């Protein structure tokens, strides 16, 4: 009753200012607020709660809420008791049951079909059907609300430059305690650029990635025209060139594909790939080259299996195989590392076949925003014995040719990435990018950090000190924002205290994981109609997908099969020996004979 009274009070307060009564976010537990003139009602349908503000739990909801452990408790259990988890990981039905729960409990937090976009704070056909918008988990704060966060905080948000300078900018490099490396940092950037493609000409609410998911348009191009320009039109392959006996992407001149390069970059270094911005840094072009090689390697295998197939079918099937490889690597290598879990994650679409699950996805604006992990970046990039600052590294594909893919993989695996949470770890080189992230969030009128915590089933922070875990930054933040319920989403994610020994704070994980897993498992290839050997060219193609890993991707396509992982080696020699001894991959030249040919075939 006390809680209900508080919400009624704030609703009256809002109305007294002539504002929308829903500005105070009176409806709790995912209830939907609707206005009727000068009053509001909460639609509590299927929330498991009832009452004026959806605050009274139904009986079974009460039991569920009472018994459900806090996210911090679940995280502790999954990251400790390694011996117990080693046993569970080897008992198939237990591992499958836990993985099924992980997938369903996370993905069901994402609205599907989508609900809102940045121009509509209510459900309508335009918000649902217009794929040029990012979708939204929470509707934007109303223009008629008293403050930028609804009713809480000050009437103006603090200067974005000031927020970055005081709370986000790096004083001294803070390495990630989980041992995340630069190989991970570039994978994150490379992978997400296929669906985080903001249409800057139209505004932060719009995306150019019409696929809204893992479709590998960063390899094959967003448009059909770009795809055909990149294709060799023989044996399903993509165009390539051979330099010093190794395969690299073709040039812009040889493809007539538009790429973003400054005028001073010479023609022979203007490599052309699916994503137009991947010439920005050699780390992105490194991954683009590896996936180019993998596509053409898979095409060689399919040609042997199906000599009767034409170029188009080989190409299309190879693309499906690479999508499957990507999802498996992201879940079992990438997400596995990020989670820090002792429980071994598993990519198995069949786990969801009997569950309520929709095989579609829309990229949310909030997901795009929270993924701005600029603290991962180091102060300089180290490749073998050479160190590059940002000015030397940007738009410099000569690094790729000078060092080679093998040396880059080995060096990036050894170099530490930065911790993302905890504040004050964004490198000065991307200062303007961090400012732009805050300004775009304000353009989108995101609700507060606490509103997102409540939407994703976390308790709201009670104070700035609880948010940051310390006194200095929390006191300064309180002066600037005035109220913890007015704390912005993006700065809040970066200043939140990290979990013990972890790269992220609780909010980043509990928001990010549902978006990620829904987007991965909602892919068409994970559906019962697609997930079968024939989709991938038979058992051989299906096996490529089901046995994919980061290390195998590297060994199949990079000379000398350098050890790689998403974490820095703890014991260089022993860990490297274990990996290489367990690899069944043939040397690169044997796996892909086209790399030996002295052939040169005539886009972020």
């Amino acid at each position: 009753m006390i809680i209900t009274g508080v919400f009624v009070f704030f609703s009256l307060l809002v109305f007294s200012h002539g504002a929308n009564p829903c500005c105070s976010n009176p409806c709790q537990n995912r209830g939907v607020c609707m206005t009727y003139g000068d009053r509001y009602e909460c639609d509590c349908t299927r929330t498991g709660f009832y009452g004026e503000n959806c605050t009274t739990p139904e009986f079974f909801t009460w039991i569920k809420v009472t018994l459900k452990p806090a996210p911090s408790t679940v995280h502790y259990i999954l990251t400790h008791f390694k011996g117990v988890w080693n046993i569970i990981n080897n008992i198939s039905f237990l591992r499958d049951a836990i993985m099924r729960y992980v997938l369903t409990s996370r993905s069901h937090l994402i609205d599907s079909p989508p609900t809102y976009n940045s121009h509509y704070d209510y459900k309508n056909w335009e918000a649902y059907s217009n794929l040029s918008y990012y979708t939204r988990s929470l509707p934007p704060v109303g223009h008629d609300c008293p403050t930028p966060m609804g009713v809480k905080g000050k009437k103006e948000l603090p200067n974005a430059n000031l927020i970055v300078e005081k709370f986000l900018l790096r004083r001294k490099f803070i390495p990630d305690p989980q041992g995340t490396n630069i190989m991970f940092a570039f994978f994150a950037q490379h992978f997400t650029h296929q669906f985080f493609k903001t249409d800057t000409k139209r505004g932060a609410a719009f995306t150019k990635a019409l696929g809204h998911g893992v479709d590998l348009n960063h390899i094959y191009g967003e448009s059909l025209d770009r795809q055909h320009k990149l294709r060799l039109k023989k044996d399903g392959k993509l165009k390539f060139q051979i330099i010093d006996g190794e395969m690299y992407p073709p040039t812009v001149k040889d493809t007539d594909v538009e790429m973003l390069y400054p005028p001073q970059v010479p023609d022979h270094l203007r490599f052309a790939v699916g994503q137009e911005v991947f010439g920005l840094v050699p780390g992105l072009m490194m991954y683009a080259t590896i996936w180019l090689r993998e596509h053409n390697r898979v095409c060689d295998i399919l040609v042997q299996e199906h000599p009767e197939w034409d170029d188009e079918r080989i190409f299309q099937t190879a693309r499906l195989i690479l999508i499957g490889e990507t999802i498996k690597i992201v879940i079992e290598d990438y997400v596995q590392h990020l989670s820090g879990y002792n429980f071994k994650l598993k990519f198995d679409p069949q786990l969801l076949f009997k569950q309520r699950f929709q095989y579609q996805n829309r990229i949310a604006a909030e997901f795009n925003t929270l993924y701005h992990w600029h603290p991962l970046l180091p102060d300089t990039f180290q490749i073998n014995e050479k160190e590059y600052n940002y000015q030397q590294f940007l738009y410099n594909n000569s690094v790729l040719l000078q060092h080679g893919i093998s040396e880059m993989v080995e060096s990036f695996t050894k170099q530490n990435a930065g911790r993302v949470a905890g504040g004050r770890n964004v490198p000065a080189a991307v200062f303007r990018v961090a400012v732009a992230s805050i300004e775009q969030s304000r353009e989108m009128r995101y609700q507060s950090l606490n509103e997102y915590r409540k939407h994703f089933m976390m308790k709201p922070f009670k104070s700035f000190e609880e948010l940051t875990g310390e006194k200095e930054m929390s006191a300064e933040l309180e002066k600037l924002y005035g109220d913890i319920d007015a704390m912005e989403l993006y700065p809040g994610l970066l200043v939140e205290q990290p979990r013990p020994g972890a790269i992220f704070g609780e909010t980043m994980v509990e928001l990010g994981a549902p978006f990620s897993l829904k987007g991965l498992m909602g892919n068409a290839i994970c559906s019962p109609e697609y997930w079968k050997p024939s989709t991938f060219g038979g058992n051989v193609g299906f096996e490529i997908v089901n046995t994919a890993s980061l290390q195998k991707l590297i060994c199949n396509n990079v000379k000398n099969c350098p050890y790689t992982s998403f974490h820095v080696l703890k014991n260089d020699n022993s860990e490297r020996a274990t990996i290489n001894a367990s690899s069944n991959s043939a040397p690169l030249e044997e796996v892909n004979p086209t790399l030996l040919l002295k052939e040169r075939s005539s886009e972020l």
Side-chain angles (χ1 to χ4, degrees):
M1 292 300 293
I2 294 176
I3 295 175
T4 301
V6 170
F7 284 124
V8 171
F9 169 76
F10 277 117
S11 299
L12 292 172
L13 179 64
V14 171
F15 179 65
S16 69
H17 285 79
N20 184 331
C22 289
C23 287
S24 60
N25 299 309
C27 305
Q28 303 299 291
N29 299 302
R30 296 192 161 209
V32 178
C33 187
M34 237 170 69
T35 57
Y36 293 85
D38 59 358
R39 63 185 180 86
Y40 74 90
E41 281 187 7
C42 293
D43 183 352
C44 309
T45 305
R46 288 184 291 277
T47 63
F49 292 83
Y50 62 95
E52 185 177 7
N53 295 302
C54 309
T55 54
T56 305
E58 297 170 357
F59 178 70
F60 288 109
T61 302
W62 177 82
I63 294 176
K64 182 180 177 181
V65 170
T66 303
L67 296 178
K68 184 179 180 180
S72 57
T73 303
V74 174
H75 180 79
Y76 180 86
I77 293 171
L78 289 167
T79 55
H80 291 74
F81 315 110
K82 189 171 184 178
V84 175
W85 286 113
N86 285 341
I87 295 172
I88 292 173
N89 290 334
N90 287 293
I91 302 175
S92 295
F93 78 92
L94 281 179
R95 184 185 175 199
D96 287 354
I98 294 171
M99 190 65 205
R100 185 180 296 110
Y101 174 76
V102 169
L103 292 172
T104 55
S105 63
R106 295 291 196 185
S107 61
H108 286 170
L109 290 172
I110 303 301
D111 293 327
S112 184
T115 47
Y116 312 105
N117 65 29
S118 293
H119 289 160
Y120 292 100
D121 60 359
Y122 55 91
K123 296 181 183 72
N124 63 86
W125 193 255
E126 178 70 10
Y128 162 74
S129 64
N130 192 335
L131 297 179
S132 66
Y133 281 95
Y134 288 113
T135 189
R136 293 282 291 265
S137 285
L138 285 177
V141 176
H143 287 291
D144 55 354
C145 292
T147 73
M149 290 296 133
V151 299
K152 298 294 185 70
K154 301 182 179 181
K155 291 188 176 182
E156 290 187 9
L157 290 168
N159 180 273
N161 286 59
L162 179 65
I163 295 297
V164 175
E165 289 171 0
K166 292 179 70 70
F167 307 107
L168 306 187
L169 199 61
R170 179 175 293 160
R171 274 62 169 167
K172 180 182 179 182
F173 177 73
I174 307 171
D176 168 41
Q178 283 183 222
T180 300
N181 59 22
I182 301 305
M183 197 69 181
F184 174 93
F186 283 127
F187 186 95
Q189 190 175 13
H190 184 271
F191 168 69
T192 58
H193 268 56
Q194 66 188 298
F195 44 79
F196 293 154
K197 299 177 70 174
T198 300
D199 190 340
T200 54
K201 292 181 180 179
R202 300 183 67 187
F206 295 92
T207 175
K208 295 185 289 184
L210 302 183
H212 280 270
V214 182
D215 61 4
L216 306 195
N217 69 73
H218 61 324
I219 297 174
Y220 303 109
E222 182 69 56
S223 69
L224 193 60
D225 176 66
R226 189 179 184 93
Q227 177 198 119
H228 283 292
K229 288 179 178 179
L230 290 168
R231 287 173 60 177
L232 184 60
K233 299 299 180 68
K234 180 182 179 182
D235 294 337
K237 293 184 179 181
L238 295 170
K239 290 179 180 178
F240 62 94
Q241 60 176 318
I242 299 297
I243 303 175
D244 295 331
E246 295 192 75
M247 182 183 292
Y248 288 92
T251 63
V252 170
K253 186 176 181 180
D254 287 339
T255 59
D256 193 30
V257 165
E258 183 178 350
M259 293 288 292
L260 298 180
Y261 287 108
Q264 69 269 20
V265 176
D267 286 348
H268 75 282
L269 293 177
R270 292 174 175 258
F271 294 153
V273 295
Q275 221 326 327
E276 62 186 8
V277 304
F278 277 0
L280 177 66
V281 287
L284 294 176
M285 196 58 73
M286 173 193 73
Y287 272 113
T289 302
I290 292 168
W291 283 112
L292 164 68
R293 294 176 180 181
E294 177 65 3
H295 174 90
N296 287 352
R297 183 188 78 88
V298 169
C299 287
D300 283 337
I301 294 171
L302 290 174
V303 167
Q304 289 182 347
E305 286 288 303
H306 300 282
E308 77 283 7
W309 282 7
D310 62 8
D311 169 76
E312 183 68 15
R313 186 161 185 180
I314 295 290
F315 171 81
Q316 297 296 349
T317 304
R319 181 172 185 167
L320 291 175
I321 290 173
L322 263 68
I323 290 173
E325 289 187 82
T326 298
I327 296 175
K328 186 173 175 67
I329 290 170
V330 170
I331 290 178
E332 295 191 4
D333 286 300
Y334 181 89
V335 177
Q336 181 73 59
H337 167 71
L338 275 185
S339 70
Y341 292 168
N342 289 319
F343 170 66
K344 193 173 180 182
L345 300 175
K346 181 180 183 181
F347 172 52
D348 183 359
Q350 295 179 100
L351 295 174
L352 294 176
F353 285 178
K354 295 182 181 180
Q355 306 297 314
R356 179 178 65 86
F357 194 80
Q358 295 189 11
Y359 293 96
Q360 60 174 320
N361 187 60
R362 284 279 293 278
I363 297 299
E366 297 96 338
F367 190 33
N368 181 20
T369 296
L370 72 82
Y371 230 113
H372 288 188
W373 296 344
H374 301 118
L376 285 172
L377 295 171
D379 291 325
T380 59
F381 301 92
Q382 300 164 10
I383 305 177
N384 201 356
E385 300 299 322
K386 190 161 184 179
E387 188 173 61
Y388 295 89
N389 60 32
Y390 282 78
Q391 187 174 1
Q392 295 168 324
F393 207 59
L394 294 179
Y395 294 110
N396 189 4
N397 282 331
S398 68
V399 171
L400 211 66
L401 303 181
Q402 177 184 342
H403 294 282
I405 302 297
S406 180
E407 199 168 280
M408 291 178 71
V409 168
E410 190 168 5
S411 297
F412 290 157
T413 299
K414 294 177 180 178
Q415 185 176 1
N416 283 95
R419 189 185 70 189
V420 175
R424 295 174 177 169
N425 207 23
V426 171
V430 293
F431 176 88
R432 291 306 312 167
V433 181
V435 171
S437 299
I438 296 175
E439 291 175 340
Q440 286 184 355
S441 298
R442 294 174 179 181
E443 179 186 336
M444 305 282 274
R445 307 197 319 278
Y446 286 149
Q447 295 191 33
S448 71
L449 177 73
N450 267 347
E451 288 302 318
Y452 280 99
R453 283 182 62 86
K454 288 189 288 184
H455 185 76
F456 284 87
M457 305 305 177
M458 290 172 280
K459 292 182 178 179
F461 289 118
K462 297 178 181 178
S463 67
F464 286 97
E465 190 170 334
E466 185 182 9
L467 166 66
T468 65
E470 49 76 79
K471 295 184 181 297
E472 181 209 339
M473 281 197 301
S474 62
E476 294 182 36
L477 285 166
E478 188 163 12
K479 288 180 182 177
L480 290 171
Y481 284 98
D483 193 307
I484 186 61
D485 286 329
M487 184 66 214
E488 295 178 89
L489 175 65
Y490 180 66
L493 290 168
L494 292 193
V495 302
E496 182 179 7
Q497 60 176 317
R499 281 170 161 164
I503 187 171
F504 296 136
E506 177 183 77
T507 314
M508 183 77 82
V509 175
E510 300 303 316
L511 264 69
F515 287 124
S516 178
L517 292 175
K518 176 61 174 71
L520 293 166
M521 300 306 296
N523 193 284
I525 72 159
C526 299
S527 67
E529 290 75 17
Y530 275 70
W531 189 251
K532 55 188 70 174
S534 57
T535 300
F536 306 97
N539 290 325
V540 171
F542 206 30
E543 181 72 6
I544 294 173
V545 174
N546 283 311
T547 60
S549 69
L550 176 67
Q551 184 65 62
K552 194 168 184 179
L553 175 68
I554 298 304
C555 283
N556 281 336
N557 297 288
V558 181
K559 187 168 60 179
N560 300 324
C561 183
Y563 168 81
T564 192
S565 175
F566 287 137
H567 67 276
V568 177
L569 290 174
K570 296 178 182 178
N571 186 330
D572 190 287
N573 294 327
S574 64
E575 198 162 356
R576 184 195 306 272
T578 300
I579 290 295
N580 288 338
S582 64
S583 175
N584 295 319
S585 302
L588 180 62
E589 292 80 6
E590 294 178 22
V591 172
N592 193 346
T594 61
L595 292 182
L596 299 178
L597 300 177
K598 296 292 185 179
E599 175 183 353
R600 179 173 178 154
S601 67
S602 328
E603 118 177 332
L604 268 104

